[in-house]
DNA sequence: TCCATCATGTAAACAGTTACATGATTGC
DNA sequence: GCAATCATGTAACTGTTTACATGATGGA
């Protein structure tokens, strides 16, 4: 998929995509900032939602530049040009707007989870496979939770307050999913033998 | 965004996208099933992740047909042809594979929430706007929770077991987000006056 | 008669994706 | 000298998106 959320924007002078606003916010947090640094930030983030591929980021930065939201300061680096970006006043204005209530409705309703989607349709699998699926989902969720917790509590690393809060939120979401998956497994076990779920 | 998750598939004879597998599962649940019915199912779902636009669904069904995963039975409807789809044996096989462990890693790590993303960068907004943002996010999340709860508990409607479980999961996720947002607001209130967060 | 809904589809635009190419710097 | 990483980018592809067109059916 090209799997981006277009913020429902038809016309020229259109809204920004989520990734565009997000990159703008990353830039604001540590300007001046190169495309490569943005990519590293994104791929170190907790979700696999964006791949942070070069093919996404470089054209995106050009778009932001064309809209006058960022400006590059260029410097030589061997034979190549190194471009570090800063927000313009217009960029800062957009960033504040992005963080302004009211949130668009789609952003609130936007809960998607490939694991939950599969559970939704798990009836289509035979019982043994249902159990195997849950065992795997639980094990993998536990593993990723461990990773995120140790990242958050790593000694010597201090995250900015809101970033730490965001990371806690992601962890709590995974904890909720884990409880939910365990409850399903328990229910499946009880149902075993005495027929259907 | 064209905001689809390509299941990291380059070659011909490639993997299915999430939406393709999802549509296959919908078909399996209520075959024979028209494109329009698939669209209604998708747009009645709990997330705004897929818009279920005609431009997405009709070509997708043609792709599934070309791969031999579904087959249409045609019937006349005025001057038009009505096409209702059924899974083939190959389609059923793919569906079982989709529901087979191990889950791909990206599917586990795939937690994305536009609200959380914005909180992540909320430092960029002045304190008053931070509070306004949280008030709005809380109110809107409460509203959508109410809607989902009443849908799940609507008298006379009985969901298939796994669909009911999936809906419970989505609700629990939103409840977790709500608790998290309230905690942030409380923390912001305490921090007020005595400086930074 | 008109309108909402059911229903089938197409066209153009677009932001992602993978894959590839290339050069600089640092440390072994 | 070599490999890993830092760094900048392009090219082709693709599954979405919005917007539009059109026809059938049923009820007010």
């Amino acid at each position: 998929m090209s799997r981006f959320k277009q913020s429902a924007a038809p016309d020229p002078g259109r809204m920004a995509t989520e990734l565009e606003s997000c990159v703008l916010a990353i830039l604001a947090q540590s300007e001046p900032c190169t495309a490569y640094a943005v990519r590293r930030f994104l791929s170190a983030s907790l979700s696999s939602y964006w791949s942070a591929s070069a093919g996404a980021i470089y054209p995106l930065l050009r778009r932001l530049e064309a809209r006058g939201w960022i400006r590059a300061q260029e410097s030589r680096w061997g034979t190549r040009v190194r471009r570090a970006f800063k927000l313009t006043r217009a960029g800062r204005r957009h960033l504040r707007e992005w963080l302004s209530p009211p949130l668009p409705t789609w952003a609130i309703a936007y809960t998607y989870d490939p694991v939950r989607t599969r559970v939704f349709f798990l009836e289509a699998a035979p019982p043994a496979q249902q159990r195997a699926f849950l065992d795997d989902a639980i094990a993998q969720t536990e593993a990723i939770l461990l990773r995120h917790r140790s990242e958050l509590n790593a000694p010597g690393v201090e995250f900015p307050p809101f970033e730490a809060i965001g990371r806690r939120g992601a962890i709590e979401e995974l904890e909720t999913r884990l409880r939910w998956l365990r409850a399903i497994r328990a229910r499946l076990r009880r149902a075993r033998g005495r027929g259907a779920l």
Side-chain angles (χ1 to χ4, degrees), chain A:
Chain A
M1 343 175 187
S2 150
R3 112 300 278 236
F4 38 109
K5 182 82 187 175
Q6 223 150 239
S7 309
D11 51 320
R14 73 178 191 303
M15 310 244 87
T17 64
E18 278 295 284
L19 184 53
E20 282 168 353
S21 300
C22 192
V23 165
L24 205 61
I26 292 168
L27 248 36
Q29 234 174 38
S30 53
E31 46 184 359
C33 184
T34 66
Y36 189 76
V38 171
R39 290 183 58 202
R40 261 184 322 180
F41 185 96
L42 239 24
S43 49
S45 86
L46 300 171
S47 107
S48 63
Y49 187 70
W50 286 307
S51 83
S53 57
I57 301 304
Y58 286 91
L60 184 151
L61 287 170
R62 258 199 310 278
R63 290 199 300 273
L64 296 187
E65 212 179 354
R67 263 185 243 172
W69 287 354
I70 61 176
R71 195 159 27 224
Q73 359 177 240
E74 310 197 335
S75 54
R76 304 275 132 218
W77 183 64
T79 62
R80 292 200 165 185
V81 180
R82 182 194 146 92
R83 290 162 62 75
F85 296 92
K86 279 186 166 189
L87 296 218
T88 61
R89 200 144 32 215
R92 244 164 270 284
R93 190 160 54 238
H94 169 77
L95 181 53
R96 271 199 311 276
E97 265 161 41
W98 185 57
L99 295 173
S100 285
L103 276 151
T105 316
W106 70 260
I108 299 283
Y110 197 91
T111 65
Y112 171 73
D113 176 351
V115 178
R116 193 180 341 114
T117 304
R118 283 165 174 77
V119 168
F120 213 85
F121 297 112
L122 207 49
E123 192 95 41
Q129 189 178 323
Q130 292 176 0
R131 289 190 295 273
F133 175 92
L134 286 168
D135 287 339
D136 177 64
I138 288 168
Q140 287 206 59
T141 304
E142 282 167 345
I144 205 171
L145 254 172
L146 276 180
R147 278 230 328 273
H148 287 185
R149 286 206 193 101
S150 67
E151 232 177 89
L152 180 58
N153 303 317
V157 189
E158 199 66 42
F159 291 107
F162 280 110
E163 178 170 343
I165 287 171
R167 284 170 177 269
R168 256 290 353 108
I171 288 172
E172 284 171 22
E173 187 194 312
L174 285 170
E175 286 169 344
T176 300
R177 179 164 88 193
L178 189 56
R179 276 195 305 273
W180 174 71
L181 287 168
R182 283 183 176 143
I184 303 171
R185 183 166 67 177
R187 201 172 143 187
L188 234 49
R189 282 215 188 100
R190 284 196 304 274
R192 211 178 163 179
R194 56 149 239 271
L197 197 68

